[in-house]
Amino acid sequence: MKPVITAFEASPDKGRGLARDMQVRWALEEVGRAYDVRLVSFAQMKEPAHKAIHPFGQIPTLEEDGLALFESGAIVLHIAESAPGLLPADPAARARAINWMFAAQTTVQAPIVEREGAVLTEADKPYHAERLPMLEQRIRVRLDDLSARLGDADWLDGEFSAGDLMMVTVLRRLGSSGMLNDYANLTAYIARAEVRPAWTRAFADQLAVFTASQKG
Amino acid sequence: MKPVITAFEASPDKGRGLARDMQVRWALEEVGRAYDVRLVSFAQMKEPAHKAIHPFGQIPTLEEDGLALFESGAIVLHIAESAPGLLPADPAARARAINWMFAAQTTVQAPIVEREGAVLTEADKPYHAERLPMLEQRIRVRLDDLSARLGDADWLDGEFSAGDLMMVTVLRRLGSSGMLNDYANLTAYIARAEVRPAWTRAFADQLAVFTASQKG
């Protein structure tokens, strides 16, 4: 039975692959699993039927054989455990890959999402210009450390893993900020991910959903 | 061989159990594993020796048999997989428990940490009073949904799990805000956790470190 995921009917990112169904699509493509997509509107996400699956009324979700999951990190981990390709077999290497998943979702993502929120909802406030450099400095602290750790390696810890998948999707959120321009190795890291066939397919599929939504 | 974790030499939370070594200590106590603690100062956390283990220069870390992990979520998951007590044996229930771990660390924690940061670093700014209700409303949206999902259950999904462990520690960060007063079931949920023998031992141990640091 194919898993069913949910995604935005019309993603606010306009198909740039920043919505979190991208992480799930990419993971499913990496392990070569077919899936179905159920599109939901913003209104539908807040309805009881969707909140029964996702208590916080968001996307993505994954349903499969009676199991329902609703956090992209947990969904990607579940997919990674279901088939080879995203987690090393060695237990220590596997634990380190999961470590990078959490690092992406918490330590690195938190200041990025905070800046996003400010740009999205507070850009017209008189204090925004004063706060923005502070928010960007918090991101830069993380990028400095991440860049130092990555060095000239292709991926964060040996082979490409679910940790890289999460980290790349989190870093891509900075695309329009220009902040990545100061980090040549992180830019190259993202570029390496974006030419993976699984990434290309996942990106095309989510973009097709947005494109179709504009023709309605 | 006992795992070695790191913790603040003198925690900025003054021993209230909000530093993230609490999650790791609690998890180790739940599964009944002895451990050693290496205390680090703020200066030491930013030194190369510590950053070799934790690239972002924070605590906690866990070292064991040549493996080094540095994200509390990943460390707790690693501990949960090492011994029974924190993850159900049933694969679907296990995936749902991990789902709650990610929900705690991302969806629920993000707005809580954002408010904390504002209170800590921007309380003296003229715009702080205007921003605070917005920050608290973002938290309330999450607490409303979490409270609705928990209902009158003891734990988020059947038996106590690593998902509850992460969620309780994240919610406890709101302690001084007074925001939890509007959520009787979440307050009771935290109280249920705080009488677990494993929580009590972990809390006492981290408090003892802070108390000792003040006698130096």
Side-chain angles (χ1 to χ4, degrees):
Chain A
M1 208 182 99
K2 281 193 282 186
V4 178
I5 72 168
T6 50
F8 288 124
E9 191 178 66
S11 176
D13 81 334
K14 302 191 191 325
R16 287 181 295 151
L18 305 180
R20 290 179 177 85
D21 60 296
M22 179 66 194
Q23 298 172 322
V24 175
R25 290 174 183 273
W26 185 10
L28 287 161
E29 293 286 354
E30 288 284 349
V31 302
R33 292 190 64 189
Y35 61 98
D36 288 323
V37 184
R38 190 172 74 243
L39 302 179
V40 290
S41 66
F42 277 93
Q44 283 169 333
M45 283 194 292
K46 305 303 173 189
E47 285 169 7
H50 187 70
K51 287 181 99 169
I53 301 166
H54 195 317
F56 301 103
Q58 299 179 315
I59 62 100
T61 58
L62 178 140
E63 291 161 272
E64 169 179 42
D65 299 330
L67 171 67
L69 300 175
F70 65 84
E71 280 283 338
S72 57
I75 295 171
V76 168
L77 183 54
H78 173 72
I79 293 165
E81 289 181 330
S82 74
L86 283 171
L87 284 177
D90 172 65
R94 177 181 172 279
R96 291 196 304 269
I98 294 172
N99 197 99
W100 282 114
M101 294 182 68
F102 277 98
Q105 292 292 89
T106 58
T107 306
V108 178
Q109 180 167 250
I112 293 175
V113 166
E114 187 170 348
R115 178 190 174 280
E116 260 173 38
V119 169
L120 202 64
T121 66
E122 299 179 84
D124 59 341
K125 300 286 186 185
Y127 54 73
H128 182 67
E130 177 185 348
R131 293 191 75 244
L132 194 57
M134 172 192 75
L135 296 174
E136 298 199 335
Q137 182 51 29
R138 285 182 196 164
I139 297 172
R140 221 167 269 122
V141 167
R142 298 296 185 232
L143 297 182
D144 286 350
D145 285 337
L146 183 67
S147 175
R149 171 54 68 105
L150 179 64
D152 57 6
D154 279 356
W155 308 112
L156 286 166
D157 192 333
E159 295 295 303
F160 177 83
S161 80
D164 295 299
L165 186 151
M166 299 308 282
M167 191 63 81
V168 165
T169 50
V170 166
L171 292 177
R172 283 189 80 252
R173 304 187 79 89
L174 287 171
S176 62
S177 73
M179 293 188 68
L180 290 167
N181 296 343
D182 297 332
Y183 301 90
N185 68 337
L186 297 182
T187 306
Y189 172 63
I190 297 169
R192 259 190 302 281
E194 289 179 347
V195 295
R196 293 178 73 84
W199 189 91
T200 308
R201 286 193 298 270
F203 186 83
D205 286 347
Q206 62 80 36
L207 178 57
V209 170
F210 180 74
T211 305
S213 77
Q214 300 305 296
K215 292 179 181 150
Chain B
M1 209 182 96
K2 282 194 282 186
V4 179
I5 71 169
T6 51
F8 288 124
E9 190 178 67
S11 176
D13 82 333
K14 302 189 191 325
R16 288 180 294 151
L18 305 181
R20 291 180 177 85
D21 60 297
M22 179 66 194
Q23 298 172 322
V24 175
R25 291 174 184 272
W26 186 9
L28 287 161
E29 293 287 353
E30 288 284 350
V31 302
R33 293 190 64 189
Y35 61 97
D36 288 322
V37 183
R38 189 171 76 244
L39 301 178
V40 290
S41 67
F42 278 94
Q44 283 169 332
M45 283 194 292
K46 305 303 174 190
E47 285 169 7
H50 188 71
K51 285 181 100 168
I53 300 167
H54 195 316
F56 301 103
Q58 300 180 315
I59 62 101
T61 58
L62 179 140
E63 291 161 90
E64 170 178 39
D65 298 330
L67 171 67
L69 299 175
F70 64 84
E71 279 284 337
S72 58
I75 295 172
V76 169
L77 182 53
H78 173 72
I79 293 165
E81 289 181 331
S82 74
L86 283 171
L87 284 177
D90 172 66
R94 178 181 172 279
R96 290 196 303 269
I98 294 171
N99 196 98
W100 282 114
M101 293 181 69
F102 277 98
Q105 293 292 89
T106 59
T107 306
V108 177
Q109 181 168 249
I112 293 174
V113 166
E114 187 170 347
R115 178 190 173 282
E116 260 173 37
V119 168
L120 202 66
T121 66
E122 299 179 83
D124 60 341
K125 300 287 184 183
Y127 56 73
H128 182 67
E130 177 186 347
R131 292 191 76 244
L132 193 59
M134 173 192 75
L135 297 174
E136 299 199 335
Q137 181 52 29
R138 284 182 196 163
I139 297 172
R140 223 168 268 123
V141 167
R142 297 298 184 231
L143 296 182
D144 286 349
D145 285 337
L146 183 67
S147 175
R149 171 53 68 106
L150 179 64
D152 57 7
D154 278 358
W155 308 112
L156 287 167
D157 192 334
E159 295 296 302
F160 177 84
S161 79
D164 295 300
L165 186 151
M166 299 307 283
M167 190 64 80
V168 165
T169 51
V170 166
L171 292 176
R172 284 189 80 253
R173 304 187 79 89
L174 287 171
S176 61
S177 73
M179 292 188 68
L180 289 167
N181 295 343
D182 297 332
Y183 301 90
N185 68 337
L186 296 182
T187 306
Y189 172 64
I190 296 168
R192 259 190 302 279
E194 289 179 346
V195 295
R196 293 177 72 86
W199 189 90
T200 308
R201 287 193 296 272
F203 185 84
D205 287 347
Q206 61 80 37
L207 178 58
V209 171
F210 179 76
T211 305
S213 77
Q214 300 305 296
K215 290 178 184 152

